[in-house]
Amino acid sequence: MPPAEILIARSSIAARVRALASALSTAYASTAQPPVLISVLQGSALFTADLMRSIAIDMAVDFISISSYAHSGSHSGVVKIVKDVEIDLSDRDVVIVEDIVDTGLTLNYLRRSLTERGPHSLRTITLLDKTVRRLVPVPVEFVGFEIPDVFVVGYGLDFQGRYRNVGDILVVRDLARLVNEPDLLVGSLWPRRGQRRQPT
Ligand code: IMP
């Protein structure tokens, strides 16, 4: 049995991202100023890039980076901004771009922090939503896929900084095993390092 299997194939992701981009283009077609997408690094980098390319209206993008998620399963809710946005958000229509909303603690913190900057509106788009894991109620206006309580990697989502460059979203069968063997998925995804041809 492979250690991970495809939960959402790249073709389904691409189709859903195009539909989300179309929904955003319609929702923000007549705002006073172009909307500002705020991409939450690192996980939503791929999603943001693909989404932006399909958005058919004028828009701006900025990036925010917050302290990383504890993979232990417990989550204190204490989140720290390590790289802040540079655009002045006052009176702007702001869209937070998330890779995944899990307990909701990160998004709840982000929403509070961004609300303090006086945006005209603040909404969230997430590629994945694990609603069954929610600890705090938090509004999420645009959702790509609702997924069950599983651990996923790929399409920007990582395990300890790995596997972000997988094009599909994979579900990890045995997270405890991956914790002990972080290389676990490499063999089934890519040729072994030792078998790679040397560049000439
Ligand atoms: P929350 O604060 O519990 O909602 O966590 C959100 C963050 O947890 C995401 O931005 C991800 O970085 C991380 N996360 C939650 N579930 C997963 C997963 O299944 N795979 C990878 N990262 C995850």
Side-chain angles (χ1 to χ4, degrees):
M1 196 186 274
E5 64 181 22
I6 294 176
L7 181 68
I8 309 169
R10 58 194 77 198
S11 55
S12 304
I13 297 170
R16 190 72 190 114
V17 170
R18 280 195 298 273
L20 289 168
S22 168
L24 285 181
S25 304
T26 304
Y28 292 92
S30 48
T31 50
Q33 289 189 74
V36 183
L37 267 60
I38 298 185
S39 177
V40 185
L41 296 171
Q42 331 281 337
S44 59
L46 272 69
F47 177 40
T48 304
D50 287 345
L51 190 67
M52 284 172 60
R53 260 185 288 239
S54 288
I55 287 180
I57 56 166
D58 189 16
M59 53 148 284
V61 67
D62 205 338
F63 299 87
I64 197 165
S65 183
I66 49 185
S67 56
S68 63
Y69 179 76
H71 288 288
S72 59
S74 61
H75 193 317
S76 64
V78 179
V79 185
K80 194 176 79 186
I81 294 176
V82 285
K83 184 238 169 280
D84 209 342
V85 294
E86 286 161 36
I87 296 178
D88 177 2
L89 301 180
S90 56
D91 289 328
R92 300 298 298 268
D93 292 288
V94 173
V95 184
I96 300 171
V97 183
E98 270 283 17
D99 51 353
I100 186 164
V101 182
D102 185 17
T103 62
L105 290 165
T106 307
L107 181 58
N108 193 45
Y109 170 86
L110 261 179
R111 280 185 48 84
R112 272 192 280 128
S113 172
L114 297 177
T115 300
E116 284 169 10
R117 304 159 196 217
H120 176 252
S121 68
L122 179 62
R123 295 203 259 184
T124 299
I125 181 166
T126 187
L127 180 67
L128 304 177
D129 192 352
K130 283 190 200 174
T131 46
V132 291
R133 294 252 312 157
R134 204 72 95 246
L135 292 179
V136 287
V138 62
V140 184
E141 288 79 6
F142 302 91
V143 175
F145 301 92
E146 192 166 311
I147 64 165
D149 184 7
V150 291
F151 191 80
V152 290
V153 294
Y155 196 67
L157 289 134
D158 74 311
F159 174 76
Q160 296 182 357
R162 312 279 293 279
Y163 308 118
R164 290 194 199 276
N165 60 320
V166 179
D168 308 297
I169 292 172
L170 308 179
V171 55
V172 177
R173 286 180 190 280
D174 189 345
L175 186 56
R177 193 170 159 212
L178 187 63
V179 169
N180 289 324
E181 299 169 55
D183 291 343
L184 183 65
L185 312 186
V186 172
S188 56
L189 289 169
W190 300 290
R192 293 170 63 152
R193 284 171 183 273
Q195 293 173 355
R196 272 196 202 146
R197 286 197 309 130
Q198 293 298 311
T200 48

